Amino acid sequence: MATTAASSASEPEPEPKIGPTVVSKVEGEEDEIKDTRTRRKVLSRAVAAATYKTVGPGWDPQEEGVSESDGDEDYAMASSAESSPGEYEWEYDEEEEKNQLEIERLEEQLSINVYDYNCHVDLIRLLRLEGELTKVRMARQKMSEIFPLTEELWLEWLHDEISMALDGLDREHVYELFEKAVKDYICPNIWLEYGQYSVGGIGQKGGLEKVRSVFERALSSVGLHMTKGLAIWEAYREFESAIVEAARLEKVHSLFRRQLAIPLCDMEATFAEYEEWSEDPIPESVIQNYHKALQQLEKYKPYEDALLQAEAPRLAEYQAYIDFEMKAGDPARIQLIFERALVENCLVPDLWIRYSQYLDRQLKVKDLVLSVHSRAVRNCPWTVALWSRYLLAMERYEVDHQTVSATFEKALSAGFIQATDYVEIWQAFLDYLRRRVDFQQDSSKELEELRSAFARAVEYLKQEVEERFNESGDPSCVIMQNWARIEARLCNNMQKARELWDSIMTKGNAKYANMWLEYYNLERAHGDTQHCRKALHRAVQCTSDYPEHVCEVLLTMERTEGTLEDWDIAVQKTETRLARVNEQRIKAAQKEAALAQQEEEKAEQRKRARAEKKALRKKKKIRGEDKHKADEDDEKEWGDDEEEQPSKRMRVENSIPLADEAQGMQAVLAGKRAPVDVDPPSKQKEKAASLKRDMAKVPHDSSKDSITVFVSNLPYSMGEPDMKLRPLFESCGEVAEIRPIFSNRGDFRGYCYVEFKDEKSALQALELDRKNVEGRPMFVSPCVDKSKNPDFKIFRYSTALEKHKLFISGLPFSCTKEELEEICKAHGTVKDLRLVTNRAGKPKGLAYVEYENESQASQAVLKMDGMTIKENIIKVAISNPPQRKVTEKPEARKAPGGPMVPRQIYGARGKGRTQLALLPRALQRPSTATPQAENGPAPRPAVATSTATEAPKMSNADFAKLLLRK
């Protein structure tokens, strides 16, 4: 066959006629194939060179399937291409140089922060692409020491090492890699690869036992896996069936029986295969176990189906499955389902905590417990609770002191997100050291180590943590308090304890009564009365939060233990101190009241200024309209207008019809034909406003609040809101009615009510919140009567600490969402990005970025904080919004220095524009000198009313005369 193929290849074939398009396509494909072969040759020569260095001159490439002639041909092609550089060769050189620069950048980044997971992955990928095999191996080794590798990374590493394994030593190295791989996660595919690779070494000494050992361990690890365990069972059976020995038949029988007793997918096919393979009838006990396993399979099926239907990471489905297995109580299955869940949710600290807690309390197997704790901190190094539990587990199973200390040092370099996390890990380590000390001895090595650790902890929090977080994380000095208690109670060194408490008080804690009382209790238990009295006297002078309590404790002590002189001194000091405190409180209350009064006066001035500006604009508008009408009227009719001037109410209701009649009358008197439907734009606008004013008022039906949404922040210039908003909301469901709200003049007020046919559509419409409508973010919220629910307030974003979300400030206003996302995704997977805008849709220079996990967020903080974007230096921090201030209820407000002033209660949304006051707003000024009524606000002054009533009325003719006089 080979000869025929060779002869056929040597004979020239007639060239078919093809068009130019096909020729160019074929030439393009040939160039692409050549490029691929050249790249592949570069990598293959790198592999050959590395193998030659490892094995030596005895290595024959022909035996390994490497064709020297093919290699030389490809290499010659690459060399010739280099000798005559073309477009592709220049691009390839530039790409290679670019990769080298990126490799150097990644290595530098890892030297700064070794816990950057994405940097490790990118570095391994680029080194493998460049054929740097030695560096790839070193990079993988470093990453595996810090992080557990995923199944894909392990399989890629194993395949590369298997392809380069040449002798028994290399095979042992691959075995060691397999042992590391199966410890990181439960991976059926890695166990299957391990078993198949071990079969290749069956010819070596102990090879058969090695294969069986690997398969047995694989069955104990993943044999209960309902969906992927079947492949391990079948591979083991095939191996045993391939060994042609009579004694091995019983081994195959045993494997079939063991498999049929476990609930696995596709059990019926396995049972049928056993019936076909076995020459003897199947024992009744095996059939009973098989049916029992089928019954168990039915119980597990709903949970397995839920996992198949859900999308990764399926945390909720795994949690339900874990709860079910915990109730069943089978340790092997509980361990398996935890491992399966962690494969997809390895960055969820709560899942690791639950798993380790189960092992600590139930199984209590040393190797298993310590292995899980080690994997937990490698997956989630930023979680301090996992490190604390790991230290406790190591102490519980009596791990040597050097290993515990080394683990603690790793925890300090893990990069916690909060300053308090460092206090917690230091406290856990100090507790461990304290339990090692034998306090019966006056001095020991362990005690000195404990004291030096306390001193180092205080210094570390002062320098390292404060420098990074701008806070110590331990404002109450909990670590120093514990140190003082140990010195006083266990070491009987009260002098050292007093020195520590003096240091605690100098750190800003002297104003707190509880700190002084803690010190007093320590002196009472382990000191003397003199120091107790001294501490309380200092507390009376320094305490500012609860001085009454400290004074009471001092008087109680002197009453029971002190002399008359001590009692007199205590009474004098406490009375003086309490009098001073009361004076300070009165002054603070007066200052606060004065500030509140100033704020109220400023608010009143702003309100008055707005009212005056509004009145001035309205006056100018009326003057302009009157001037226009005066130009159209005849001068002879000015006197008649005064007699026929309608009342204000009639003019508001009938202004448009009267204007039409007047215009028609003037046309008749002038002998001209009245124009038809040619009103000026101002008239048309006035007619539209009149129609909107004359619309029937629809009372609000609170029974339809569940199917109604409130839409606000719409543009005031929006014409026909009903027609423009209906297509938008009909995408959520059938719209029953849209009720836009207009002012008395017919202007749209920027909000409306949208009523649906069903509640489901209304809920779906809430998702349109913050949608851009004519350049403004539209607000969509539930329709709630705030008179019945005054505390109702909806805020769609979380206000709690979110460790996987970043808050960015200082952004340039011109920065777009796409530009910021391009910067952020370089440090991890960005799930959501939100630019904060004002009500008009303009950016405020703030943004929230949500990453996939806490690790990526913490890495992004380290890299992006202080970055310059378009000449703006941004600040990046973990999202932890301040508590939203709760607005003071109306009944809780009091007038400064007086009784409560009741407020008038308006509608569900406050005082509306449609509720007209009888007086002009400029005259509605509260008078501080007028007395208040018994059951309500102070009466209005009579002067204002008389002034309002005595104001002379001016007609259009009067305004026209004034204009003509000018």
Side-chain angles (χ1 to χ4, degrees), residues 421-437:
D421 293 344
Y422 287 94
V423 179
E424 184 176 345
I425 192 62
W426 267 111
Q427 193 60 58
F429 184 60
L430 293 170
D431 292 343
Y432 158 73
L433 293 178
R434 195 264 307 164
R435 288 188 284 265
R436 295 181 68 244
V437 179

Side-chain angles (χ1 to χ4, degrees), residues 674-736:
V676 181
D677 296 335
V678 258
D679 290 338
S682 60
K683 293 286 185 180
Q684 295 176 3
K685 184 176 180 181
E686 188 175 351
K687 282 187 177 182
S690 175
L691 292 176
K692 293 173 182 176
R693 284 197 303 267
D694 296 338
M695 290 176 61
K697 305 296 182 182
V698 180
H700 180 70
D701 188 359
S702 60
S703 62
K704 296 183 179 180
D705 285 351
S706 60
I707 60 173
T708 306
V709 295
F710 178 67
V711 183
S712 60
N713 202 45
L714 296 170
Y716 297 116
S717 60
M718 176 181 287
E720 301 295 337
D722 186 2
M723 302 297 294
K724 292 187 177 181
L725 294 177
R726 185 172 291 273
L728 182 63
F729 284 96
E730 282 181 346
S731 62
C732 304
E734 186 177 357
V735 177

